[in-house]
Amino acid sequence: LLPKVAAINGVVYLRLVRKSCESIYGDGSTFEIGKANILRPGKDVTVIAMGYCVGQALIAAKELAEQGIDVRVIDMFTLKPLDRQAVIDAAKQTGSIVTVENHYVNNGLGSAVAEVLCEECPTPLIRLGSQDKFGEVGSRDFLADKFGINAKAIVAAVKKAVEKKNK
């Protein structure tokens, strides 16, 4: 992404992790600014994630598949511009969305997706991330559990989304 970011004439915010994350993409993968990547197809619920949470979403999707729930996973690695069409397509094709981010749900990915859904395709939405609480210090696993952005929390949210959708 760095060459693409360097080519932008304007302000750019690039968020990096302090420690290593599991590798999601292989060598030679390509990215388009403003275009989401569908990492896993699915028909029951869509999980839209970014950063660290993408790996957790893939782990959750694998576990849910074993339980008969088919989860689409989207890596929304660009928040602005947001891939609005990917959100709309996911809403229309799966009927329910869960966002998960290592950030506050307000004014982040969850809010951006909510705006698209409200304006274009009203769809049930569950937003995982910090619920407007002060940050804390701790290990990545501790904090992911505390703020509900790990695979366990994603599994629970997807199950709740399926229940809402089936009512």
Side-chain angles (χ1 to χ4, degrees):
L1 284 176
L2 285 178
K4 290 183 184 277
V5 167
I8 294 173
N9 184 16
V11 177
V12 176
Y13 174 76
L14 181 63
R15 189 168 184 198
L16 303 171
V17 294
R18 289 186 207 128
K19 296 181 180 180
S20 64
C21 280
E22 60 275 2
S23 182
I24 303 296
Y25 295 96
D27 292 340
S29 296
T30 59
F31 302 90
E32 183 181 336
I33 302 292
K35 183 78 174 148
N37 289 327
I38 299 174
L39 301 180
R40 182 183 173 110
K43 63 179 176 21
D44 295 327
V45 176
T46 298
V47 174
I48 302 175
M50 56 189 324
Y52 160 80
C53 299
V54 174
Q56 295 299 301
L58 289 169
I59 292 167
K62 183 177 179 184
E63 181 180 328
L64 288 159
E66 294 169 2
Q67 299 174 35
I69 301 173
D70 191 21
V71 178
R72 176 182 303 191
V73 176
I74 296 177
D75 178 4
M76 190 67 76
F77 69 92
T78 305
L79 186 57
K80 188 174 181 180
L82 185 78
D83 188 345
R84 294 175 65 88
Q85 194 59 53
V87 174
I88 294 165
D89 292 346
K92 288 181 178 177
Q93 293 166 9
T94 67
S96 189
I97 295 182
V98 173
T99 60
V100 56
E101 59 192 306
N102 183 17
H103 191 275
Y104 292 107
V105 294
N106 296 326
N107 302 312
L109 177 64
S111 289
V113 169
E115 289 173 10
V116 173
L117 295 177
C118 182
E119 294 167 359
E120 304 290 341
C121 186
T123 303
L125 170 66
I126 296 173
R127 300 180 300 158
L128 299 180
S130 177
Q131 301 292 328
D132 209 17
K133 296 178 183 173
F134 288 110
E136 294 187 30
V137 175
S139 71
R140 181 184 306 168
D141 290 342
F142 169 79
L143 294 172
D145 188 54
K146 171 105 178 158
F147 290 102
I149 60 171
N150 58 10
K152 178 178 134 186
I154 296 168
V155 166
V158 166
K159 287 181 176 181
K160 184 176 178 183
V162 168
E163 286 177 21
K164 283 183 171 182
K165 183 175 143 180
N166 291 333
K167 283 189 176 182

